[in-house]
Amino acid sequence: QSALTQPASVSGSPGQSITISCTGTSSDVGTYDVVSWYQQHPGKAPKVIIYDVRDRPSGVSDRFSGSQSGNTASLTISGLQAEDEADYYCSSYTSRNTRVFGTGTTVIVL
Amino acid sequence: QVHLVESGGGGVQPGTSLRLSCAASGFIFSSYAMHWVRQAPGKGLEWVSVIWYDGHAQYYSDSVKGRFIISRDNSKNTLFLQMNNLRVEDTAVYYCAKGGGAFSGSGMSQPGDWGQGTLVTVSS
């Protein structure tokens, strides 16, 4: 199972919006609405910020939003803040009853 | 409040075995699927395995299938990962995670709350 494809890095200035793409196939992202997104700061465990393509867990800022079109899922961070600088990973269920993560994206706040 | 604590990591030689544990508290353990996810030093996240809420189904990544066994003891709120025939490339921090989102009891669940991880180093 190949990893989902994400850009290596995305940057933006404070207050701007950025979008991270997550491209899979019809065997994962394109078929199952169980895509999740994770934020990971250096030396810390990952934290889920989006479930089921677009749902935010309790306590997660509404500046984070998820969407999906075809084989690509996307995470948008609005009103970028310094604390958003971290690594972000997408993840999807697959037709083989397994799960796959994305390659990861480093968000840089300029 | 969900609390997950992994243990059992350490340094071992290739070809040997290790058993990881994940002690869970703060939720009804027997109602949720549980995942193991690993992260090699300086690398991204890699999903390893999932076990359904009742333990009746388990699935594995191709990289560990046939070598690792996931299990759970719902009476003790504990998740396990038996790792056999370890390879250098299994070196990673291993995280356990509670299934979340839709289908939270099944393999379609999404890793939600995570522990802090335990480091496994395989080296000769």
Side-chain angles (χ1 to χ4, degrees):
Chain A
Q1 180 76 46
S2 298
L4 306 175
T5 301
Q6 298 180 231
S9 65
V10 174
S11 62
S13 299
Q16 286 186 330
S17 293
I18 62 170
T19 297
I20 303 169
S21 61
C22 169
T23 301
T25 70
S26 57
S27 295
D28 39 65
V29 175
T31 296
Y32 303 99
D33 292 337
V34 280
V35 174
S36 45
W37 287 90
Y38 301 87
Q39 176 191 62
Q40 186 179 33
H41 287 104
K44 301 293 187 181
K47 171 189 174 184
V48 64
I49 54 175
I50 295 287
Y51 276 127
D52 302 327
V53 176
R54 64 188 77 250
D55 293 342
R56 280 187 308 277
S58 174
V60 172
S61 171
D62 59 4
R63 297 186 299 104
F64 295 95
S65 61
S67 63
Q68 178 183 345
S69 178
N71 294 338
T72 299
S74 299
L75 174 72
T76 298
I77 308 175
S78 305
L80 198 62
Q81 299 180 0
E83 67 205 50
D84 299 331
E85 190 161 286
D87 292 328
Y88 292 82
Y89 297 90
C90 61
S91 181
S92 174
Y93 180 74
T94 84
S95 60
R96 298 174 62 203
N97 297 312
T98 61
R99 174 156 289 276
V100 62
F101 280 92
T103 50
T105 298
T106 297
V107 167
I108 300 167
V109 181
L110 301 171
Chain B
Q1 183 178 356
V2 174
H3 197 47
L4 299 168
V5 180
E6 302 93 339
S7 61
V12 296
Q13 293 190 330
T16 60
S17 299
L18 206 57
R19 190 193 198 200
L20 305 183
S21 299
C22 169
S25 60
F27 65 101
I28 302 173
F29 182 72
S30 59
S31 294
Y32 292 89
M34 294 294 295
H35 298 259
W36 285 101
V37 178
R38 68 184 181 183
Q39 187 169 34
K43 303 297 184 181
L45 300 175
E46 180 188 10
W47 180 82
V48 173
S49 182
V50 65
I51 185 167
W52 284 47
Y53 71 102
D54 57 3
H56 285 176
Q58 310 87 30
Y59 297 98
Y60 302 90
S61 66
D62 288 343
S63 59
V64 308
K65 195 170 186 178
R67 299 188 299 124
F68 290 12
I69 300 171
I70 189 172
S71 62
R72 63 192 297 161
D73 185 339
N74 284 348
S75 67
K76 296 183 178 179
N77 292 349
T78 305
L79 174 72
F80 302 101
L81 186 68
Q82 177 67 42
M83 304 186 295
N84 300 321
N85 191 19
L86 282 161
R87 304 168 179 169
V88 171
E89 55 265 35
D90 294 320
T91 294
V93 172
Y94 284 74
Y95 296 100
C96 65
K98 169 179 168 282
F103 315 106
S104 60
S106 77
M108 291 184 77
S109 66
Q110 297 141 91
D113 298 278
W114 298 56
Q116 287 304 302
T118 186
L119 177 62
V120 173
T121 303
V122 185
S123 172
S124 56

